[in-house]
Amino acid sequence: MVKVTVWNENRHEQKNQAVREVYPQGIHGAIADFLQQDYQVKTATLDEPAHGLTDAVLDDTDVLIWWGHIAHDEVDDGIVEKVKQRILGGMGLIVLHSGHFSKIFKALMGTTCDLKWREADEKERLWVVDPSHPIAEGVGEYIELDKEEMYGEHFDIPAPDQLVFLSWFAGGEVFRSGCTYQRGKGKIFYFRPGHETYPTYYHEDVQRVIKNAVQWAKPVKRPAPVYGNVKPLEAIKTKN
């Protein structure tokens, strides 16, 4: 079974009663709850030792899900580097909503990952622009969210390997809201919706996308590549 670790800075839940009312077990708890139907799931948060991302935890993680917002700078650079190396080695990463500004996502993208935003009760429609992609399996032409925070272009990221979702907002903006990347042997998926004051992670289609993304991002089981100076391969012998 695929092993998933759901990481959340878990600060809004401590500071904001409105967020606690939406996510009484934390955003990480809500995500873990629907994932555990299909995967082996554990959670980790910022204020745990090593931010909950010890060597033992990372060694036992196939896919890491990341949600952060107001405490990006508090994440230790050494932990970020350790996570980055695990991703380059094959661990999958799913970055949600404001995790676009996390240290780990920026380190992997090599850009500012900045964007426009507007916090308002605004309709979002996430159009499926790659219906053949496995992350979009089981989703109709679009996902509609009655209330979400607006993110708008320009989104300062590298061109995605594949663009799966494109959002439209009632204010007129559009946004690349479902982007895939490969870094080293690891697969990365950025998925936009999930502002902390809205019940987005209870939405059936949002849950389906995250479940699909875990399956897509899981490591490929194969021998590690050989690097460095090597001897020539032996010539293939043909039978007489």
Side-chain angles (χ1 to χ4, degrees), residues 219-237:
V220 174
K221 304 297 184 183
R222 54 154 295 148
V226 176
Y227 299 109
N229 189 20
V230 297
K231 296 180 180 179
L233 295 174
E234 291 184 1
I236 298 176
K237 296 180 180 179

Side-chain angles (χ1 to χ4, degrees), residues 21-57:
E21 290 175 359
V22 177
Y23 296 109
Q25 297 180 336
I27 292 172
H28 54 295
I31 295 172
D33 186 58
F34 69 77
L35 285 176
Q36 65 187 0
Q37 302 167 27
D38 302 288
Y39 303 110
Q40 184 177 326
V41 185
K42 54 183 169 288
T43 62
T45 57
L46 178 65
D47 291 327
E48 296 177 48
H51 308 322
L53 300 174
T54 62
D55 287 339
V57 169

Side-chain angles (χ1 to χ4, degrees), residues 136-193:
E137 183 175 352
V139 179
E141 287 191 321
Y142 58 83
I143 300 170
E144 188 157 296
L145 304 174
D146 291 334
K147 294 181 180 180
E148 253 296 348
E149 180 180 26
M150 188 282 294
Y151 280 6
E153 297 286 349
H154 173 247
F155 187 15
D156 186 22
I157 53 173
D161 295 341
Q162 294 165 298
L163 180 63
V164 186
F165 299 99
L166 180 70
S167 285
W168 165 89
F169 293 89
E173 292 86 2
V174 297
F175 189 78
R176 289 168 289 168
S177 54
C179 306
T180 74
Y181 298 92
Q182 183 172 321
R183 294 292 185 268
K185 293 186 291 180
K187 295 179 181 178
I188 303 163
F189 178 57
Y190 172 74
F191 191 44
R192 197 219 72 83

Side-chain angles (χ1 to χ4, degrees), residues 19 22 34 72 114 130 150 223:
V19 177
V22 177
F34 69 77
H72 297 312
D114 215 341
D130 187 353
M150 188 282 294

Side-chain angles (χ1 to χ4, degrees), residues 189-210:
F189 178 57
Y190 172 74
F191 191 44
R192 197 219 72 83
H195 187 63
E196 66 275 2
T197 58
Y198 302 121
T200 301
Y201 294 120
Y202 299 116
H203 193 288
E204 182 178 338
D205 282 336
V206 170
Q207 293 182 358
R208 181 178 289 110
V209 167
I210 296 173

